[in-house]
């Protein structure tokens, strides 16, 4: 499918579906933005902050995209990953991705990273901070897969072949 066909499809969507696509596109861009940082010559500790902020924000946007698809309404204006996660009602999909964790352990890990976007943007105010970057990264990948499937089903546009 070429760009012109995708643009035509996009233009035929409802306003809420366009919003869904735009939220998903933003989430994907923040998820992938950290790869640009790898060419910089900075100490690893400094490079980790943009990684963490971008991944957490990407998770937030994926969750808001899923909420928007589920409700066909604008998502709430909050940043708590745990509250957004609970609003999404995607427990089974996420649990099947994290097979090594039960529901309680999974929710506990999500609660631990729930305010990551806020805290790590202002890391100098919250030192010392701890975060499981591996879990954050895997959650981001999981939410990307779930959102991608839902966007494709709702809007019939394969976002892997779209305007990034």
């Amino acid at each position: 499918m070429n760009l012109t066909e995708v643009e035509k499809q996009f233009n035929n969507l409802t306003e809420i579906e366009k919003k869904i696509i735009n939220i998903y596109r933003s989430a994907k861009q923040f998820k992938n933005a950290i790869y640009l940082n790898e060419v910089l010559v900075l100490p690893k500790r400094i490079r980790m902050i943009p990684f963490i902020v971008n991944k957490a924000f990407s998770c937030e946007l994926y969750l808001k995209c899923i909420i928007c698809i589920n409700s066909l309404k604008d998502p709430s204006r909050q940043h708590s990953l745990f509250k957004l996660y609970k609003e999404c009602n995607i427990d089974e999909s996420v649990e099947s991705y994290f097979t090594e964790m039960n529901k309680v352990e999974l929710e506990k890990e999500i609660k631990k990273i729930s305010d990551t976007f806020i805290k790590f943007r202002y890391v100098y105010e919250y030192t010392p901070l701890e975060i499981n970057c591996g879990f954050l990264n895997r959650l981001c990948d999981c939410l990307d897969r779930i959102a991608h499937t839902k966007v494709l089903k709702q809007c019939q546009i394969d976002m892997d072949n779209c305007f990034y």
Side-chain angles (χ1 to χ4, degrees):
M1 181 177 304
N2 64 40
L3 188 59
T4 308
E5 291 171 5
V6 171
E7 288 171 338
K8 286 179 187 174
Q9 278 184 290
F10 182 81
N11 291 334
N12 289 328
L13 295 174
T14 65
E15 288 306 308
I16 196 72
E17 288 172 332
K18 287 177 184 175
K19 180 168 278 212
I20 289 166
I21 295 288
N22 288 329
I23 294 170
Y24 181 82
R25 184 183 317 149
S26 292
K28 193 80 158 178
Q29 289 168 343
F30 275 98
K31 177 185 175 209
N32 293 331
I34 192 61
Y35 300 119
L36 300 175
N37 197 26
E38 290 304 313
V39 299
L40 299 176
V41 181
L42 296 170
K44 187 175 184 177
R45 192 185 89 223
I46 294 171
R47 287 187 300 168
M48 290 306 294
I49 302 304
F51 171 86
I52 292 165
V53 171
N54 282 344
K55 288 294 179 168
F57 190 50
S58 184
C59 286
E60 177 183 328
L61 290 172
Y62 284 130
L63 291 167
K64 287 180 176 183
C65 177
I66 294 165
I67 290 166
C68 198
I69 291 169
N70 290 346
S71 67
L72 295 179
K73 295 179 185 171
D74 286 346
S76 63
R77 294 185 167 265
Q78 71 155 292
H79 300 293
S80 169
L81 294 181
F82 185 73
K83 288 178 183 175
L84 292 167
Y85 171 74
K86 293 311 285 181
E87 190 176 338
C88 282
N89 209 11
I90 55 171
D91 293 345
E92 287 181 19
S93 299
V94 176
E95 287 170 26
S96 68
Y97 190 83
F98 289 91
T99 55
E100 74 282 4
M101 294 183 184
N102 64 38
K103 183 177 181 170
V104 173
E105 293 170 326
L106 184 59
E107 288 188 356
K108 185 178 176 183
E109 288 300 313
I110 294 172
K111 282 180 184 176
K112 284 181 189 176
I113 64 166
S114 190
D115 296 325
T116 297
F117 177 64
I118 295 165
K119 288 183 177 177
F120 276 84
R121 282 186 315 177
Y122 302 104
V123 70
Y124 57 88
E125 294 178 1
Y126 292 97
T127 55
L129 287 172
E130 286 184 28
I131 186 161
N132 182 340
C133 288
F135 178 78
L136 177 63
N137 196 39
R138 284 186 64 207
L139 180 64
C140 191
D141 288 343
C142 173
L143 295 174
D144 181 4
R145 289 180 186 183
I146 294 168
H148 180 269
T149 301
K150 287 182 170 286
V151 166
L152 185 58
K153 184 177 179 183
Q154 175 69 36
C155 304
Q156 285 84 47
I157 293 181
D158 186 354
M159 292 304 297
D160 283 343
N161 300 318
C162 276
F163 15 56
Y164 288 115

